[in-house]
Amino acid sequence: MKRWLPLILFLVLVGFFAKGLFLNPREVPSPLIGRAAPAFTLPLVGDPARTFSPADMKGRVWLLNVWAPWCVSCRQEHPVLMQIAASGRVPIVGLNWKDKDREAQALLAQRGSPYVAVPDDVSGKVGIDYGVTGTPETYVIDRQGIIRMKHIGPIGPEVWKDKFEPKLKELGA
Amino acid sequence: MIPEIGHFALIVALLVALTQAILPLWGAQTGNARLIAVARPAAQGQFVFVAIAFGCLAWSFLQNDFSVENVAKNSYSQLPPMYRFTAAWGSHEGSMLLWTLILAFWTTAVSVFSRHLPDDMVARVIGIMGLISIGFLGFLLTTSNPFLRLIPAAPEGNDLNPLLQDPGMVFHPPTLYMGYVGFSVAFAFAIAALLSGKLDAAWARWSRPWTTVAWAFLTTGITMGSWWAYNELGWGGWWFWDPTENASFMPWLAGTALIHSLAVTEKRGAFKAWTVLLALIAFSLSLLGTFLVRSGVLSSVHAFATDPARGAFILGFLAIVIGGSLALFAWRAPRMLTGGRFAWFSREAFLLANNVILLAALGSVLLGTLYPLLMDALGLGKISVGPPYFNSVFVPVMAPALFLLGIGPLTRWKGDSLPDIARRLKWAFAVAVASALLLPLVVAGFKPWASIGVFFAVWIAAGVVVGLRERIRNQRGALVARLAALPRGYWGMQMAHLGLAIGVAGIAIVANYQSERDVRMNVNDHAELAGYTFTFRGHSEYDGPNYRAAKGIVEVSRNGKKLFTLYPEKRIYNASGMAMTEAAIHPDLWRDVYVAMGEPIDDKGAWIIRLFHKPLVNWLWIGGLLMAAGGFMAASDRRYRIALREARAKGAALAGAAA
Amino acid sequence: MKSLLFCLALVLSAPLFAGEAAPVGDDPAIEQRMVNLASDLRCLVCQNESLAGSHAELAEDLRREIREQMKAGKSDKEVIEYLTNRYGDFVLYKPPFKPVTYLLWLGPLIFLGAGVGAWYWVLRKRRATPPPAVDPDQLAAAAKLLDEKQ
């Protein structure tokens, strides 16, 4: 019966490959989910005298949106973020990541800001603490300051409806 | 107009392939000579049409026809003509067309060089290759058409990826594909044998030269790919265990096991089931490699732009071809009678051990390559499996094979005596051990793995020498004449094994004793590495055909005596804006001196420069090419040219009779 | 005159003192440690490149971070933990030895062991096979053929 072994092994492999076609090998889950959002204190864009820290948001469910002025995909999700901000559904904090050319303030002034605060992470060090590998990336953080979800890529209407809304409801927002 | 002709030629080729597959296979099954006779002309016809299609694509590239989407995405008007031509296979669609062309070429070769084989067997072989052609032509026409038009035409192309603008691009894909695709011949022979039920030593003799030539091409292709990476990527690496590299290495491992297994089946009629299965596995791995690289299931530097539709098509094709062949194997395997007896200590036993070890190594590489996918598919998270895993696993698994290689070729078939072999090899063993232990005297410091590698290399080489001596000892005549009289098959074997030894020595030394320094160099600064002094004399800028370059000047001297000057470059390509580093290498049999430009530091002309000293690195490519040469030599053995000689003899006899 | 001025400009623009090139990192020992460690780590924004060899910006940031950690006295193990806490096991090119990767690490050993077992078993079977019975007529015919050839 071992003459059937090669065929059986192969068919098992085909099954895995078929499943693999629906997966993205580059989409890496975050190890931070279920852990406390790493603490930091950063000056705000346009108002360096004031600072922001995740502790400021304790007691509320909020989104940390990692973005950059030079990021093209971020502009795609900007209108969606503006809608969310306007509806008051959940506060969004925009972490300005590696903005060496200091373009964030002008850009937000021009296009409008969906953010309640814009901490300035020029060096990218806070990004490293959050496991950021590119922009945009968005974290959902709960009332106790625990990271509950991470979304990589721009937020479109479907993503908001299918991924974010259920999570926000779950967290009681 | 030309792209449409190319497109049409592909459609015709598909129709011919359908004829080529269905009619001869049916004919062989039913014994219909007329249907069987369709095989050869159909194969040749298909080749003509695929060649026309490829010619049209190449023409579009050479003529800068940016109304063809493939040309617009992969070429550039200022690209030098040579690279405009090779850009034809620089994309997924183009390389698939190359695959199909080479498959048709091999099929035509079979149709021409098989006059001495039974017609029904040839019909089956050509028919099965036709089935594979159908799959690829269908794939091209449905999901990967290289002749799609871009309307309106682009004013300029996106440029070929600068990494591909290198001579390696000219040789690496074609030779690699000649190898990969060439295993389809062995595959077809195996299926033909399973279908007909005729699996004997004669079958092995027929398939052997085809398989060996394909293997030799694959060896060449992999060697060229490794050399190309070393030259082009600018960080001195030559193997990364990237999924695409593994995708070509796994068929090579299976192919190596196959050519050795065929030897046993041909000479002793043994290992039949093994050999057939290996033939199926080798080509299956080629197809699997094609799937892995183009479907997006694995992350790789080499991956073509991925598309789930393409992935699904290839997977379906894979399932049918490989699944079908393995099912056929399972069904027909019991009919294959087992071969003769052999003792514990015999060449058969050694070759069986060789196969087992190669398959274990193959399994390890496959496991490591697929593990991230397996874990992800089971929802167990995402991991990376890279060089640290493969190096720590592959080397120990292969090591026993390297040891056995010193002994196996000297062992007699059926049975030999261990004390006798030990006696014959004791000096070889002593020399190998001595080399390993004395190595640190020649190089800097004792590194265990280097010594182990050198032991194996010298052991194998010494075994080759012992084998040659014994072989010619009982003959008479001058040394050169005696050596020349040895059959090519024997020479091929020794050359290939020696090539392996050279490669192993190169790897052992370069991996353990290479040195590197990253330095900040102002103009006229100097740095030391491995006894050489590197002096940076600034840089100049110039415009290449499709790039802007900063060309550094680095003088290399030793003990105050100037040896040579190297000119590493940093290029920014016009179309893509991509930066590429062109390393400057001073090659030598015993070492490479390798300099690459890093980044400019300030505006006073200072740069970060990477310096490398790579001892024996060229032994890798020399070893690889010698292995391939051995393969080609063995395939040209006179056993396989008998048909040619018989035909000529017949001709001479007729001429003699007429005179 | 113009050429003289040009030469003068060239000479004056060259650094007055050309000396030994400085290593890229301030501390060669730390640099070597960093490169060795980073060679076994994955560049997260590349398709498949090591952190040591990649030119990507994030890779440079992470190399800088590793250097700083090493200067602060952290061991290799601690640096790896720092990275896996933030990026997961995906960043390691050498998969950790955990229950979920037992099969990966032990697999090759199992394959080799199974192969050796198969080799042993096949050889035993071959030795046990009796020699094929030879048809005496065929034997006689073969002998006749051999005599003829001589």
Side-chain angles (χ1 to χ4, degrees):
Chain A
M1 279 314 113
K2 60 180 168 65
R3 55 199 170 102
W4 292 101
L5 204 58
L7 179 64
I8 294 169
L9 285 173
F10 173 67
L11 290 174
V12 168
L13 217 55
V14 170
F16 277 110
F17 288 143
K19 180 92 206 287
L21 286 175
F22 296 98
L23 302 168
N24 180 355
R26 310 283 326 282
E27 206 178 82
V28 188
S30 172
L32 295 170
I33 302 205
R35 301 212 320 245
F40 64 86
T41 308
L42 286 178
L44 297 184
V45 165
D47 195 0
R50 286 167 57 210
T51 63
F52 173 84
S53 178
D56 300 346
M57 303 297 285
K58 272 254 170 69
R60 302 167 70 184
V61 175
W62 58 290
L63 301 183
L64 180 67
N65 175 254
V66 182
W67 71 287
W70 42 260
C71 156
V72 176
S73 313
C74 303
R75 296 183 196 213
Q76 276 174 23
E77 68 170 3
H78 186 263
V80 177
L81 293 180
M82 290 297 280
Q83 274 180 2
I84 299 166
S87 74
R89 181 80 180 81
V90 64
I92 312 175
V93 174
L95 183 72
N96 184 26
W97 192 63
K98 291 169 69 82
D99 178 19
K100 292 203 172 65
D101 293 332
R102 320 306 299 134
E103 290 172 338
Q105 192 177 6
L107 190 70
L108 289 174
Q110 182 195 32
R111 304 189 87 220
S113 171
Y115 305 122
V116 300
V118 190
D120 198 7
D121 184 19
V122 183
S123 64
K125 216 160 176 329
V126 172
I128 290 180
D129 277 341
Y130 276 78
V132 171
T133 56
T135 46
E137 290 183 2
T138 309
Y139 298 81
V140 177
I141 302 174
D142 72 8
R143 301 176 197 277
Q144 287 81 32
I146 311 280
I147 296 179
R148 291 309 196 135
M149 192 176 94
K150 177 176 176 180
H151 175 74
I152 298 174
I155 301 176
E158 308 83 43
V159 170
W160 181 256
K161 194 166 66 92
D162 299 331
K163 240 180 128 177
F164 280 84
E165 275 291 356
K167 200 59 172 180
L168 291 175
K169 284 204 183 71
E170 193 190 311
L171 297 173
Chain B
M1 190 60 208
I2 302 276
E4 278 66 40
I5 293 177
H7 192 182
F8 186 64
L10 278 182
I11 297 174
V12 175
L14 177 59
L15 295 171
V16 176
L18 281 161
T19 320
Q20 175 195 332
I22 298 173
L23 298 183
L25 281 173
W26 184 246
Q29 196 63 25
T30 55
N32 184 329
R34 279 224 311 272
L35 291 179
I36 286 175
V38 170
R40 290 191 168 95
Q44 290 155 12
Q46 198 220 128
F47 177 59
V48 166
F49 284 105
V50 178
I52 290 173
F54 187 80
C56 290
L57 186 64
W59 181 255
S60 303
F61 269 93
L62 284 167
Q63 295 295 101
N64 286 321
D65 184 356
F66 296 121
S67 69
V68 178
E69 198 180 346
N70 197 277
V71 180
K73 281 191 181 159
N74 297 290
S75 188
Y76 191 61
S77 55
Q78 291 160 27
L79 200 57
M82 175 170 75
Y83 297 134
R84 267 185 270 150
F85 178 67
T86 62
W89 57 73
S91 65
H92 161 75
E93 296 86 351
S95 66
M96 281 278 86
L97 183 52
L98 183 66
W99 227 103
T100 313
L101 177 69
I102 290 181
L103 180 60
F105 174 75
W106 275 105
T107 320
T108 304
V110 169
S111 75
V112 167
F113 292 106
S114 59
R115 301 288 169 189
H116 56 290
L117 298 180
D119 284 334
D120 62 326
M121 162 140 277
V122 176
R124 283 205 164 99
V125 171
I126 291 180
I128 289 151
M129 293 178 81
L131 286 174
I132 301 170
S133 291
I134 292 172
F136 277 92
L137 286 163
F139 183 55
L140 277 168
L141 286 167
T142 52
T143 70
S144 314
N145 189 348
F147 296 110
L148 288 176
R149 288 281 199 176
L150 190 64
I151 297 167
E156 181 58 272
N158 289 342
D159 205 8
L160 185 63
N161 186 327
L163 283 172
L164 302 179
Q165 295 182 31
D166 175 271
M169 181 60 174
V170 181
F171 301 108
H172 166 60
T175 43
L176 195 72
Y177 283 17
M178 280 293 283
Y180 252 6
V181 181
F183 282 144
S184 64
V185 180
F187 177 83
F189 267 97
I191 301 276
L194 288 171
L195 285 174
S196 66
K198 276 187 289 203
L199 185 59
D200 49 17
W203 168 82
R205 168 158 305 189
W206 298 330
S207 5
R208 217 171 152 191
W210 295 104
T211 314
T212 311
V213 170
W215 176 89
F217 272 114
L218 187 58
T219 309
T220 310
I222 294 175
T223 306
M224 301 254 76
S226 174
W227 176 80
W228 174 21
Y230 173 75
N231 269 287
E232 270 303 285
L233 297 180
W235 51 278
W238 43 269
W239 190 259
F240 196 65
W241 295 106
D242 179 88
T244 321
E245 292 174 320
N246 297 346
S248 66
F249 193 52
M250 290 190 284
W252 186 86
L253 290 169
T256 307
L258 176 60
I259 56 179
H260 289 87
S261 199
L262 272 169
V264 182
T265 309
E266 182 190 357
K267 292 229 165 73
R268 302 273 296 131
F271 294 179
K272 288 181 201 155
W274 243 148
T275 304
V276 164
L277 187 60
L278 280 171
L280 299 181
I281 288 175
F283 185 60
S284 300
L285 287 168
S286 296
L287 288 178
L288 185 69
T290 307
F291 170 73
L292 289 176
V293 174
R294 294 157 201 277
S295 60
V297 295
L298 293 176
S299 178
S300 155
V301 275
H302 245 94
F304 293 100
T306 59
D307 177 1
R310 289 176 179 165
F313 189 112
I314 305 181
L315 187 59
F317 182 59
L318 224 67
I320 294 171
V321 172
I322 303 178
S325 61
L326 292 177
L328 184 63
F329 173 80
W331 176 36
R332 293 286 196 149
R335 291 180 198 218
M336 292 182 273
L337 303 166
T338 50
R341 295 159 39 97
F342 48 88
W344 290 106
F345 203 81
S346 62
R347 196 179 294 191
E348 290 96 322
F350 272 92
L351 285 171
L352 182 61
N354 161 286
N355 277 6
V356 154
I357 293 172
L358 281 168
L359 282 177
L362 167 61
S364 309
V365 175
L366 187 64
L367 185 66
T369 307
L370 294 181
Y371 212 78
L373 170 61
L374 299 181
M375 269 185 66
D376 198 11
L378 292 172
L380 295 170
K382 285 208 151 66
I383 59 162
S384 300
V385 180
Y389 169 80
F390 289 105
N391 288 332
S392 47
V393 148
F394 184 76
V395 173
V397 170
M398 279 301 283
L402 295 177
F403 183 70
L404 296 177
L405 184 51
I407 313 173
L410 278 89
T411 316
R412 275 195 291 269
W413 294 102
K414 257 192 115 152
D416 205 334
S417 113
L418 175 54
D420 197 50
I421 292 273
R423 181 187 52 81
R424 287 151 70 194
L425 282 172
K426 66 171 187 262
W427 284 116
F429 187 75
V431 169
V433 171
S435 308
L437 294 176
L438 295 174
L439 179 66
L441 294 180
V442 183
V443 288
F446 177 68
K447 299 237 167 86
W449 280 111
S451 285
I452 291 173
V454 166
F455 166 75
F456 284 131
V458 176
W459 168 241
I460 294 171
V464 168
V465 170
V466 169
L468 275 169
R469 275 189 60 212
E470 290 183 354
R471 187 82 185 230
I472 59 174
R473 186 168 39 205
N474 297 322
Q475 295 165 357
R476 281 179 294 262
L479 179 65
V480 177
R482 280 188 279 164
L483 286 172
L486 291 174
R488 290 192 190 177
Y490 186 77
W491 269 113
M493 172 181 84
Q494 299 295 46
M495 279 166 71
H497 290 166
L498 189 62
L500 181 64
I502 293 173
V504 168
I507 292 172
I509 298 293
V510 81
N512 286 289
Y513 292 107
Q514 65 178 343
S515 45
E516 117 177 41
R517 279 190 75 190
D518 276 10
V519 282
R520 276 181 231 271
M521 296 189 96
N522 297 310
V523 181
N524 295 328
D525 270 358
H526 59 90
E528 307 270 326
L529 183 69
Y532 292 94
T533 307
F534 298 82
T535 312
F536 180 51
R537 294 288 185 208
H539 74 276
S540 62
E541 298 193 5
Y542 76 92
D543 276 322
N546 54 339
Y547 57 83
R548 179 138 186 89
K551 183 165 155 171
I553 303 161
V554 177
E555 288 172 2
V556 184
S557 55
R558 192 190 207 128
N559 296 329
K561 197 177 91 168
K562 180 160 159 208
L563 295 173
F564 49 84
T565 310
L566 291 173
Y567 300 96
E569 291 181 18
K570 193 81 191 243
R571 296 180 183 174
I572 311 272
Y573 281 79
N574 300 337
S576 53
M578 261 181 79
M580 262 269 306
T581 167
E582 282 285 314
I585 305 177
H586 187 265
D588 184 88
L589 184 60
W590 301 103
R591 57 96 193 117
D592 266 9
V593 171
Y594 184 115
V595 178
M597 303 285 270
E599 305 294 330
I601 301 175
D602 55 31
D603 40 6
K604 287 200 284 290
W607 279 78
I608 293 182
I609 299 193
R610 305 184 76 174
L611 309 167
F612 298 87
H613 177 257
K614 302 248 179 200
L616 289 198
V617 74
N618 291 306
W619 287 35
L620 268 76
W621 338 120
I622 293 172
L625 292 178
L626 187 57
M627 272 202 280
F632 285 122
M633 172 74 83
S636 68
D637 189 274
R638 77 189 159 95
R639 297 194 290 250
Y640 312 120
R641 290 178 285 132
I642 284 176
L644 216 57
R645 288 203 342 250
E646 274 177 2
R648 286 204 193 115
K650 254 196 229 148
L654 284 171
Chain C
M1 193 56 199
K2 254 207 216 155
S3 52
L4 185 62
L5 279 175
F6 180 67
C7 289
L8 210 57
L10 264 181
V11 165
L12 289 176
S13 63
L16 290 175
F17 177 66
E20 178 90 25
V24 164
D26 298 319
D27 180 348
I30 295 252
E31 197 63 19
Q32 190 61 48
R33 247 185 87 199
M34 188 276 290
V35 169
N36 282 345
L37 194 66
S39 303
D40 287 346
L41 295 172
R42 185 175 200 140
C43 162
L44 296 152
V45 292
C46 317
Q47 277 283 11
N48 194 25
E49 274 180 72
S50 80
L51 199 60
S54 165
H55 293 301
E57 223 187 302
L58 183 65
E60 277 171 19
D61 289 347
L62 286 174
R63 285 199 293 267
R64 198 182 316 125
E65 189 63 38
I66 296 176
R67 256 186 228 117
E68 281 171 28
Q69 297 252 322
M70 287 180 170
K71 274 192 209 137
K74 296 272 170 34
S75 70
D76 283 3
K77 195 156 159 292
E78 286 169 316
V79 174
I80 290 178
E81 219 181 288
Y82 176 87
L83 289 170
T84 51
N85 278 344
R86 286 152 180 77
Y87 295 100
D89 285 340
F90 188 67
V91 75
L92 302 171
Y93 265 139
K94 182 173 181 175
F97 191 62
K98 304 205 287 222
V100 79
T101 57
Y102 280 165
L103 184 58
L104 177 65
W105 282 105
L106 298 174
L109 207 61
I110 296 171
F111 292 148
L112 199 54
V116 171
W119 181 84
Y120 184 79
W121 184 77
V122 166
L123 255 90
R124 274 194 54 182
K125 234 179 55 155
R126 295 292 166 138
R127 286 190 64 195
T129 318
V134 185
D135 181 5
D137 293 327
Q138 282 187 339
L139 204 56
K144 193 157 155 278
L145 272 170
L146 286 167
D147 290 334
E148 273 174 24
K149 281 289 174 184
Q150 273 172 332

